[in-house]
Amino acid sequence: MGAASEVRNLPPVARDLPEIDWLTHEDAAQRGVSYWDSAALDAAALARPASTQEVAAILRACYSAGQSVVTHGGRTTCVDGVRTLPDQIALSLEKMNAIIDIDPVEGTATVEAGVVLQTLQEAAEEAGMYFPLDLGARGSCTIGGNAATNAGGVNVLRYGMMRNLVLGLEAVLADGSVISSMNRMLKNNAGYDLKQLFIGTEGTLGVITQLVLRLEPLPGQLHTAMVAVADFAGIMHLLKEARVRLGAGLHAFELMWGSYYDAVTRPGGHAPPLERGAPFYLLIEASGDQGGAALESYLEFAFAEGLVIDGTLAQSLTQRQQLWTVRDDFEAILKDGRTYLYDVSLPLRAMQGYVAEVTERFLKAFPQGVVYVFGHICDGNLHIFLAPHAAQIGSSSGQNWKEHRRSADASVYEPLRAVGGSVSAEHGIGREKRDWLQISRTEEEIALMRTLKSSLDPRNILNPGLVIDVDRDSAS
């Protein structure tokens, strides 16, 4: 810690733990809340522990004092999951960023929770291995945050969600107890799989500090194509054929609606790999030594059958990156003003009708608005950007803005009821989706979630207000 004046500016639990690296309220305010919220972080203090033991000491003290704590990873959350209230402590795992071990024989990596995803990807590749989780925020999101939110990304089709990649982990409970379940084995049916209590629960049941992860062999060369498609039926036919013709080599199958593609490739944006104006665009990737020939054969079939109207096959790593940039980099959309991002999943057979209903509902509420859609189509996962016209919502940040946002939310979430969809495919619930959780979970499921929360965190100090509303006072 710093000077005596800084010590006085820290809350009591921080002053009692001088061995911890603390940032005062003023220093923490130099950080933005998250990637999506650039407002100054408003916290009583920010702790930066360097070990599991320090995390345990912090939580033990906070539990005794009834001090609530909000866990921070890379702060790339899309669901308002890291915002703090002025009397809360932020707990950042940024100093716990060691890659402890990479074992290419067993196919495992043991890491601290603060390791950045891209750092692990690169370290695994240096060892001749592959960590398959991949998403646009790879350069800033952390492995602990990936596990806490059960991140997905573009490789779920082949490798599964983060939950499928975690063999074991260590976590600290609200009272400071350390649960070390650092299993390294693929098969282990010895009782309850306790790591699942912490994967996807967004830090509400415990703070993940270390993980044992599955590594895979390097997939070999990746072969990437982009095609334009005239109708949704053609997309479903192409997906079916891709599963058959590309088999285990099918690495990714990403769909962009035409409005999204046109927006990110308009003048001043990305160079369009294909002519703009088609209804749909697919990004298809196959891996392996024979993946290139298989993908070329697949594309020949698609053109011969009239399933695609235009297409290109990347001839270099640079061209591959250019294709993926169109899919990944949506900054051009955000420059148009206030934009709301959603992440949902639903059965493929319902997808076309669902997007049509969302668009109809949203444009009824915001006649000058625009709907942009893309997603991991083979996973049933859609990312939706709703851009209401600025003149319709004004610059108000008060109750009027909240009403407009809820109207936009309803246009996305309400249609999921009839099709059995989920209000969150891979981004989590946070605060933003908490009131909509009942669309995707039954009363009995939510009651069991509350039981687990009350059992493991009876004082409700860990990320209060996230996922479920246990204590509305602390969740406000």
Side-chain angles (χ1 to χ4, degrees), residues 158 219-224 245-250 285-298 313:
R158 182 167 179 179
Q221 186 175 354
L222 293 171
H223 310 274
T224 311
R245 294 171 181 267
L246 302 178
L250 180 58
E285 193 158 79
S287 63
D289 295 338
Q290 304 302 315
L295 184 57
E296 286 187 24
S297 175
Y298 169 77
L313 184 63

PDB file of all heavy atoms in Angstrom, residues 158 219-224 245-250 285-298 313:
ATOM      1  N   ARG A 158     -16.830 -28.079 -32.408  1.00  0.00           N
ATOM      2  CA  ARG A 158     -15.898 -29.204 -32.356  1.00  0.00           C
ATOM      3  C   ARG A 158     -15.441 -29.551 -30.944  1.00  0.00           C
ATOM      4  O   ARG A 158     -15.236 -30.726 -30.624  1.00  0.00           O
ATOM      5  CB  ARG A 158     -14.683 -28.894 -33.230  1.00  0.00           C
ATOM      6  CG  ARG A 158     -13.672 -30.031 -33.281  1.00  0.00           C
ATOM      7  CD  ARG A 158     -12.669 -29.839 -34.381  1.00  0.00           C
ATOM      8  NE  ARG A 158     -11.684 -30.909 -34.415  1.00  0.00           N
ATOM      9  CZ  ARG A 158     -10.695 -30.994 -35.291  1.00  0.00           C
ATOM     10  NH1 ARG A 158     -10.579 -30.076 -36.220  1.00  0.00           N
ATOM     11  NH2 ARG A 158      -9.841 -31.988 -35.249  1.00  0.00           N
ATOM     12  N   PRO A 219      -4.574 -28.436 -34.572  1.00  0.00           N
ATOM     13  CA  PRO A 219      -5.479 -28.925 -35.621  1.00  0.00           C
ATOM     14  C   PRO A 219      -4.871 -28.932 -37.012  1.00  0.00           C
ATOM     15  O   PRO A 219      -5.514 -29.382 -37.963  1.00  0.00           O
ATOM     16  CB  PRO A 219      -6.649 -27.940 -35.534  1.00  0.00           C
ATOM     17  CG  PRO A 219      -6.050 -26.682 -35.004  1.00  0.00           C
ATOM     18  CD  PRO A 219      -4.976 -27.117 -34.048  1.00  0.00           C
ATOM     19  N   GLY A 220      -3.655 -28.464 -37.147  1.00  0.00           N
ATOM     20  CA  GLY A 220      -3.088 -28.387 -38.488  1.00  0.00           C
ATOM     21  C   GLY A 220      -3.596 -27.152 -39.207  1.00  0.00           C
ATOM     22  O   GLY A 220      -4.205 -26.256 -38.617  1.00  0.00           O
ATOM     23  N   GLN A 221      -3.363 -27.094 -40.483  1.00  0.00           N
ATOM     24  CA  GLN A 221      -3.751 -25.911 -41.247  1.00  0.00           C
ATOM     25  C   GLN A 221      -5.261 -25.732 -41.246  1.00  0.00           C
ATOM     26  O   GLN A 221      -6.028 -26.690 -41.364  1.00  0.00           O
ATOM     27  CB  GLN A 221      -3.247 -26.015 -42.681  1.00  0.00           C
ATOM     28  CG  GLN A 221      -3.498 -24.751 -43.509  1.00  0.00           C
ATOM     29  CD  GLN A 221      -2.890 -24.841 -44.893  1.00  0.00           C
ATOM     30  OE1 GLN A 221      -2.196 -25.795 -45.207  1.00  0.00           O
ATOM     31  NE2 GLN A 221      -3.150 -23.844 -45.725  1.00  0.00           N
ATOM     32  N   LEU A 222      -5.674 -24.481 -41.094  1.00  0.00           N
ATOM     33  CA  LEU A 222      -7.094 -24.148 -41.138  1.00  0.00           C
ATOM     34  C   LEU A 222      -7.436 -23.588 -42.514  1.00  0.00           C
ATOM     35  O   LEU A 222      -6.727 -22.725 -43.044  1.00  0.00           O
ATOM     36  CB  LEU A 222      -7.428 -23.130 -40.048  1.00  0.00           C
ATOM     37  CG  LEU A 222      -7.290 -23.649 -38.607  1.00  0.00           C
ATOM     38  CD1 LEU A 222      -7.431 -22.498 -37.614  1.00  0.00           C
ATOM     39  CD2 LEU A 222      -8.330 -24.722 -38.326  1.00  0.00           C
ATOM     40  N   HIS A 223      -8.509 -24.088 -43.092  1.00  0.00           N
ATOM     41  CA  HIS A 223      -8.947 -23.697 -44.434  1.00  0.00           C
ATOM     42  C   HIS A 223     -10.288 -22.983 -44.290  1.00  0.00           C
ATOM     43  O   HIS A 223     -11.241 -23.536 -43.728  1.00  0.00           O
ATOM     44  CB  HIS A 223      -9.071 -24.927 -45.323  1.00  0.00           C
ATOM     45  CG  HIS A 223      -7.844 -25.795 -45.288  1.00  0.00           C
ATOM     46  ND1 HIS A 223      -6.751 -25.585 -46.099  1.00  0.00           N
ATOM     47  CD2 HIS A 223      -7.542 -26.873 -44.508  1.00  0.00           C
ATOM     48  CE1 HIS A 223      -5.827 -26.489 -45.832  1.00  0.00           C
ATOM     49  NE2 HIS A 223      -6.277 -27.285 -44.877  1.00  0.00           N
ATOM     50  N   THR A 224     -10.365 -21.774 -44.825  1.00  0.00           N
ATOM     51  CA  THR A 224     -11.496 -20.898 -44.529  1.00  0.00           C
ATOM     52  C   THR A 224     -12.136 -20.374 -45.805  1.00  0.00           C
ATOM     53  O   THR A 224     -11.435 -19.975 -46.744  1.00  0.00           O
ATOM     54  CB  THR A 224     -11.022 -19.715 -43.663  1.00  0.00           C
ATOM     55  OG1 THR A 224     -10.250 -20.208 -42.564  1.00  0.00           O
ATOM     56  CG2 THR A 224     -12.204 -18.929 -43.136  1.00  0.00           C
ATOM     57  N   ARG A 245     -19.882 -33.890 -45.200  1.00  0.00           N
ATOM     58  CA  ARG A 245     -18.758 -33.833 -46.117  1.00  0.00           C
ATOM     59  C   ARG A 245     -17.441 -33.409 -45.455  1.00  0.00           C
ATOM     60  O   ARG A 245     -16.369 -33.804 -45.896  1.00  0.00           O
ATOM     61  CB  ARG A 245     -19.079 -32.885 -47.279  1.00  0.00           C
ATOM     62  CG  ARG A 245     -20.202 -33.404 -48.164  1.00  0.00           C
ATOM     63  CD  ARG A 245     -20.666 -32.354 -49.171  1.00  0.00           C
ATOM     64  NE  ARG A 245     -21.764 -32.866 -49.985  1.00  0.00           N
ATOM     65  CZ  ARG A 245     -21.605 -33.467 -51.166  1.00  0.00           C
ATOM     66  NH1 ARG A 245     -20.385 -33.609 -51.669  1.00  0.00           N
ATOM     67  NH2 ARG A 245     -22.650 -33.910 -51.831  1.00  0.00           N
ATOM     68  N   LEU A 246     -17.526 -32.592 -44.396  1.00  0.00           N
ATOM     69  CA  LEU A 246     -16.314 -32.152 -43.719  1.00  0.00           C
ATOM     70  C   LEU A 246     -16.057 -32.949 -42.444  1.00  0.00           C
ATOM     71  O   LEU A 246     -14.938 -32.944 -41.926  1.00  0.00           O
ATOM     72  CB  LEU A 246     -16.407 -30.653 -43.397  1.00  0.00           C
ATOM     73  CG  LEU A 246     -16.623 -29.739 -44.613  1.00  0.00           C
ATOM     74  CD1 LEU A 246     -16.744 -28.289 -44.170  1.00  0.00           C
ATOM     75  CD2 LEU A 246     -15.493 -29.894 -45.617  1.00  0.00           C
ATOM     76  N   GLY A 247     -17.091 -33.609 -41.944  1.00  0.00           N
ATOM     77  CA  GLY A 247     -16.937 -34.509 -40.805  1.00  0.00           C
ATOM     78  C   GLY A 247     -16.282 -33.850 -39.610  1.00  0.00           C
ATOM     79  O   GLY A 247     -16.575 -32.705 -39.255  1.00  0.00           O
ATOM     80  N   ALA A 248     -15.339 -34.577 -38.985  1.00  0.00           N
ATOM     81  CA  ALA A 248     -14.656 -34.081 -37.794  1.00  0.00           C
ATOM     82  C   ALA A 248     -13.776 -32.885 -38.104  1.00  0.00           C
ATOM     83  O   ALA A 248     -13.345 -32.163 -37.196  1.00  0.00           O
ATOM     84  CB  ALA A 248     -13.813 -35.196 -37.172  1.00  0.00           C
ATOM     85  N   GLY A 249     -13.511 -32.641 -39.384  1.00  0.00           N
ATOM     86  CA  GLY A 249     -12.697 -31.492 -39.759  1.00  0.00           C
ATOM     87  C   GLY A 249     -13.453 -30.176 -39.742  1.00  0.00           C
ATOM     88  O   GLY A 249     -12.841 -29.108 -39.845  1.00  0.00           O
ATOM     89  N   LEU A 250     -14.788 -30.226 -39.621  1.00  0.00           N
ATOM     90  CA  LEU A 250     -15.577 -28.990 -39.572  1.00  0.00           C
ATOM     91  C   LEU A 250     -15.249 -28.240 -38.294  1.00  0.00           C
ATOM     92  O   LEU A 250     -15.524 -28.705 -37.195  1.00  0.00           O
ATOM     93  CB  LEU A 250     -17.068 -29.306 -39.647  1.00  0.00           C
ATOM     94  CG  LEU A 250     -18.021 -28.107 -39.616  1.00  0.00           C
ATOM     95  CD1 LEU A 250     -17.728 -27.141 -40.757  1.00  0.00           C
ATOM     96  CD2 LEU A 250     -19.469 -28.573 -39.655  1.00  0.00           C
ATOM     97  N   GLU A 285     -15.106 -23.068 -41.825  1.00  0.00           N
ATOM     98  CA  GLU A 285     -13.697 -23.404 -41.642  1.00  0.00           C
ATOM     99  C   GLU A 285     -13.542 -24.895 -41.391  1.00  0.00           C
ATOM    100  O   GLU A 285     -14.296 -25.491 -40.624  1.00  0.00           O
ATOM    101  CB  GLU A 285     -13.126 -22.614 -40.470  1.00  0.00           C
ATOM    102  CG  GLU A 285     -11.614 -22.645 -40.379  1.00  0.00           C
ATOM    103  CD  GLU A 285     -11.081 -21.470 -39.588  1.00  0.00           C
ATOM    104  OE1 GLU A 285     -11.143 -21.523 -38.344  1.00  0.00           O
ATOM    105  OE2 GLU A 285     -10.597 -20.491 -40.203  1.00  0.00           O
ATOM    106  N   ALA A 286     -12.548 -25.472 -42.055  1.00  0.00           N
ATOM    107  CA  ALA A 286     -12.212 -26.884 -41.878  1.00  0.00           C
ATOM    108  C   ALA A 286     -10.741 -26.986 -41.544  1.00  0.00           C
ATOM    109  O   ALA A 286      -9.929 -26.156 -41.970  1.00  0.00           O
ATOM    110  CB  ALA A 286     -12.530 -27.676 -43.144  1.00  0.00           C
ATOM    111  N   SER A 287     -10.372 -28.019 -40.793  1.00  0.00           N
ATOM    112  CA  SER A 287      -8.987 -28.173 -40.366  1.00  0.00           C
ATOM    113  C   SER A 287      -8.432 -29.511 -40.841  1.00  0.00           C
ATOM    114  O   SER A 287      -9.161 -30.406 -41.259  1.00  0.00           O
ATOM    115  CB  SER A 287      -8.893 -28.085 -38.842  1.00  0.00           C
ATOM    116  OG  SER A 287      -9.624 -29.150 -38.240  1.00  0.00           O
ATOM    117  N   GLY A 288      -7.106 -29.628 -40.744  1.00  0.00           N
ATOM    118  CA  GLY A 288      -6.444 -30.876 -41.080  1.00  0.00           C
ATOM    119  C   GLY A 288      -5.801 -30.852 -42.447  1.00  0.00           C
ATOM    120  O   GLY A 288      -6.091 -29.990 -43.292  1.00  0.00           O
ATOM    121  N   ASP A 289      -4.918 -31.796 -42.681  1.00  0.00           N
ATOM    122  CA  ASP A 289      -4.181 -31.858 -43.943  1.00  0.00           C
ATOM    123  C   ASP A 289      -5.102 -32.028 -45.150  1.00  0.00           C
ATOM    124  O   ASP A 289      -4.816 -31.540 -46.240  1.00  0.00           O
ATOM    125  CB  ASP A 289      -3.166 -33.004 -43.905  1.00  0.00           C
ATOM    126  CG  ASP A 289      -2.078 -32.772 -42.866  1.00  0.00           C
ATOM    127  OD1 ASP A 289      -1.865 -31.600 -42.489  1.00  0.00           O
ATOM    128  OD2 ASP A 289      -1.460 -33.755 -42.416  1.00  0.00           O
ATOM    129  N   GLN A 290      -6.200 -32.757 -44.951  1.00  0.00           N
ATOM    130  CA  GLN A 290      -7.133 -32.983 -46.052  1.00  0.00           C
ATOM    131  C   GLN A 290      -8.287 -31.987 -46.037  1.00  0.00           C
ATOM    132  O   GLN A 290      -9.194 -32.070 -46.865  1.00  0.00           O
ATOM    133  CB  GLN A 290      -7.691 -34.412 -45.968  1.00  0.00           C
ATOM    134  CG  GLN A 290      -6.626 -35.500 -45.968  1.00  0.00           C
ATOM    135  CD  GLN A 290      -5.746 -35.430 -47.202  1.00  0.00           C
ATOM    136  OE1 GLN A 290      -6.232 -35.267 -48.323  1.00  0.00           O
ATOM    137  NE2 GLN A 290      -4.435 -35.551 -47.013  1.00  0.00           N
ATOM    138  N   GLY A 291      -8.250 -31.039 -45.061  1.00  0.00           N
ATOM    139  CA  GLY A 291      -9.364 -30.102 -44.927  1.00  0.00           C
ATOM    140  C   GLY A 291      -9.530 -29.198 -46.128  1.00  0.00           C
ATOM    141  O   GLY A 291     -10.652 -28.859 -46.513  1.00  0.00           O
ATOM    142  N   GLY A 292      -8.403 -28.798 -46.755  1.00  0.00           N
ATOM    143  CA  GLY A 292      -8.499 -27.911 -47.911  1.00  0.00           C
ATOM    144  C   GLY A 292      -9.206 -28.567 -49.073  1.00  0.00           C
ATOM    145  O   GLY A 292     -10.101 -27.975 -49.697  1.00  0.00           O
ATOM    146  N   ALA A 293      -8.825 -29.800 -49.383  1.00  0.00           N
ATOM    147  CA  ALA A 293      -9.467 -30.516 -50.490  1.00  0.00           C
ATOM    148  C   ALA A 293     -10.935 -30.777 -50.184  1.00  0.00           C
ATOM    149  O   ALA A 293     -11.796 -30.650 -51.067  1.00  0.00           O
ATOM    150  CB  ALA A 293      -8.738 -31.836 -50.739  1.00  0.00           C
ATOM    151  N   ALA A 294     -11.227 -31.127 -48.923  1.00  0.00           N
ATOM    152  CA  ALA A 294     -12.614 -31.396 -48.543  1.00  0.00           C
ATOM    153  C   ALA A 294     -13.456 -30.138 -48.649  1.00  0.00           C
ATOM    154  O   ALA A 294     -14.607 -30.174 -49.118  1.00  0.00           O
ATOM    155  CB  ALA A 294     -12.661 -31.963 -47.126  1.00  0.00           C
ATOM    156  N   LEU A 295     -12.884 -28.997 -48.231  1.00  0.00           N
ATOM    157  CA  LEU A 295     -13.635 -27.746 -48.300  1.00  0.00           C
ATOM    158  C   LEU A 295     -13.863 -27.322 -49.744  1.00  0.00           C
ATOM    159  O   LEU A 295     -14.950 -26.864 -50.105  1.00  0.00           O
ATOM    160  CB  LEU A 295     -12.890 -26.650 -47.530  1.00  0.00           C
ATOM    161  CG  LEU A 295     -13.596 -25.294 -47.412  1.00  0.00           C
ATOM    162  CD1 LEU A 295     -14.974 -25.441 -46.773  1.00  0.00           C
ATOM    163  CD2 LEU A 295     -12.746 -24.305 -46.611  1.00  0.00           C
ATOM    164  N   GLU A 296     -12.862 -27.485 -50.589  1.00  0.00           N
ATOM    165  CA  GLU A 296     -13.033 -27.157 -52.002  1.00  0.00           C
ATOM    166  C   GLU A 296     -14.116 -28.026 -52.635  1.00  0.00           C
ATOM    167  O   GLU A 296     -14.956 -27.530 -53.406  1.00  0.00           O
ATOM    168  CB  GLU A 296     -11.713 -27.346 -52.749  1.00  0.00           C
ATOM    169  CG  GLU A 296     -10.684 -26.272 -52.463  1.00  0.00           C
ATOM    170  CD  GLU A 296      -9.464 -26.409 -53.352  1.00  0.00           C
ATOM    171  OE1 GLU A 296      -9.586 -26.996 -54.451  1.00  0.00           O
ATOM    172  OE2 GLU A 296      -8.383 -25.943 -52.954  1.00  0.00           O
ATOM    173  N   SER A 297     -14.119 -29.311 -52.309  1.00  0.00           N
ATOM    174  CA  SER A 297     -15.140 -30.214 -52.846  1.00  0.00           C
ATOM    175  C   SER A 297     -16.531 -29.809 -52.356  1.00  0.00           C
ATOM    176  O   SER A 297     -17.512 -29.838 -53.113  1.00  0.00           O
ATOM    177  CB  SER A 297     -14.825 -31.648 -52.423  1.00  0.00           C
ATOM    178  OG  SER A 297     -15.837 -32.540 -52.827  1.00  0.00           O
ATOM    179  N   TYR A 298     -16.602 -29.421 -51.094  1.00  0.00           N
ATOM    180  CA  TYR A 298     -17.870 -28.974 -50.503  1.00  0.00           C
ATOM    181  C   TYR A 298     -18.373 -27.725 -51.227  1.00  0.00           C
ATOM    182  O   TYR A 298     -19.571 -27.617 -51.551  1.00  0.00           O
ATOM    183  CB  TYR A 298     -17.651 -28.704 -49.019  1.00  0.00           C
ATOM    184  CG  TYR A 298     -18.780 -27.994 -48.320  1.00  0.00           C
ATOM    185  CD1 TYR A 298     -19.944 -28.667 -47.959  1.00  0.00           C
ATOM    186  CD2 TYR A 298     -18.674 -26.644 -48.004  1.00  0.00           C
ATOM    187  CE1 TYR A 298     -20.973 -28.010 -47.287  1.00  0.00           C
ATOM    188  CE2 TYR A 298     -19.691 -25.978 -47.342  1.00  0.00           C
ATOM    189  CZ  TYR A 298     -20.837 -26.669 -46.998  1.00  0.00           C
ATOM    190  OH  TYR A 298     -21.851 -26.018 -46.341  1.00  0.00           O
ATOM    191  N   LEU A 313     -12.429 -18.404 -51.205  1.00  0.00           N
ATOM    192  CA  LEU A 313     -11.648 -19.317 -50.386  1.00  0.00           C
ATOM    193  C   LEU A 313     -10.325 -18.627 -50.048  1.00  0.00           C
ATOM    194  O   LEU A 313      -9.600 -18.194 -50.948  1.00  0.00           O
ATOM    195  CB  LEU A 313     -11.386 -20.621 -51.138  1.00  0.00           C
ATOM    196  CG  LEU A 313     -10.662 -21.744 -50.400  1.00  0.00           C
ATOM    197  CD1 LEU A 313     -11.479 -22.237 -49.214  1.00  0.00           C
ATOM    198  CD2 LEU A 313     -10.377 -22.899 -51.358  1.00  0.00           C
TER     199      LEU A 313
END
